Amino acid sequence: MADPRLALASLFVSILMLSMAHPFFACPTRCESEIKMQMYLHQVVSGPTHNQEVVFKSTPPIEFGRTVAFDYTLLDAPAPDAKIIGRAKGTHVQADQVNAGDFSHFSMIFQQGRFTGSTFQVMGMTPPNGVWAIVGGTNELAMAQGIIQFAIVKGTPNVESYRELNITAFIPTVSIATGSFVQYFDI
């Protein structure tokens, strides 16, 4: 007759090995997919087609506290007739008491392509060229994290600008709820 402790230990090791073979635990490297995208943000400061509005004014020269609400278009090229692939909706707040420096927080809402209906949640300072943080997302981009490097590539000061956005984001590829892998593809 087998020793009950040996049988129990064998059972425990078998259960452990079977559970580790489950896809939830089978992540040999990173349990996330990298997504790279490039697009253009079109900001129209003034004129009949402006897409931002000052909602709280402050005093010059720095205008600390000035708040702007915006609904910018996300385009596939830096041109007026480019295809709209989404929108960036949020606010800028002048949050620097020494230099002109807006703090921005907004949602990038995708309206075309594979990520239609998904969003990135974005925040950071907005100099002419810089980096924003991706701090979350929804739907296919849920729990996203990453960066958006941006630079003004075309525009007229105080009228409009086009910012090139180079996005690198990481999206979890394991569903916590089901323990199964979810496939994501690079764009």
Side-chain angles (χ1 to χ4, degrees):
M1 178 171 190
D3 182 2
R5 291 177 293 174
L6 182 60
L8 187 59
S10 295
L11 179 62
F12 176 76
V13 169
S14 297
I15 291 171
L16 182 62
M17 289 177 65
L18 286 172
S19 68
M20 293 304 281
H22 191 275
F24 183 78
F25 297 99
C27 189
T29 57
R30 297 176 76 158
C31 292
E32 57 194 15
S33 289
E34 181 178 21
I35 294 175
K36 290 190 173 275
M37 297 184 222
Q38 184 182 59
M39 64 192 64
Y40 297 86
L41 183 146
H42 186 208
Q43 175 184 18
V44 183
V45 177
S46 61
T49 60
H50 71 284
N51 56 14
Q52 70 176 46
E53 190 70 44
V54 175
V55 293
F56 180 77
K57 293 183 180 186
S58 189
T59 56
I62 299 296
E63 298 188 83
F64 183 71
R66 176 189 32 77
T67 304
V68 176
F70 61 85
D71 183 4
Y72 301 146
T73 51
L74 300 172
L75 308 169
D76 67 351
D81 60 344
K83 181 179 175 184
I84 296 174
I85 56 176
R87 303 195 79 78
K89 299 179 180 208
T91 60
H92 298 295
V93 177
Q94 169 53 310
D96 189 332
Q97 293 189 47
V98 178
N99 302 302
D102 286 344
F103 173 77
S104 300
H105 55 284
F106 58 96
S107 294
M108 291 177 68
I109 303 148
F110 294 95
Q111 298 172 319
Q112 296 287 323
R114 174 171 191 287
F115 295 112
T116 298
S118 296
T119 68
F120 279 137
Q121 304 306 313
V122 181
M123 62 189 291
M125 294 302 286
T126 306
N129 303 312
V131 179
W132 289 314
I134 297 171
V135 296
T138 63
N139 297 332
E140 283 200 60
L141 301 172
M143 299 190 314
Q145 53 186 329
I147 60 168
I148 301 173
Q149 295 175 304
F150 60 88
I152 294 176
V153 294
K154 184 178 173 184
T156 304
N158 299 316
V159 177
E160 73 174 333
S161 67
Y162 290 89
R163 290 180 197 266
E164 181 179 274
L165 308 181
N166 290 297
I167 301 167
T168 302
F170 294 94
I171 312 299
T173 56
V174 176
S175 170
I176 302 300
T178 63
S180 63
F181 278 96
V182 179
Q183 284 296 330
Y184 290 97
F185 305 98
D186 291 339
I187 293 178

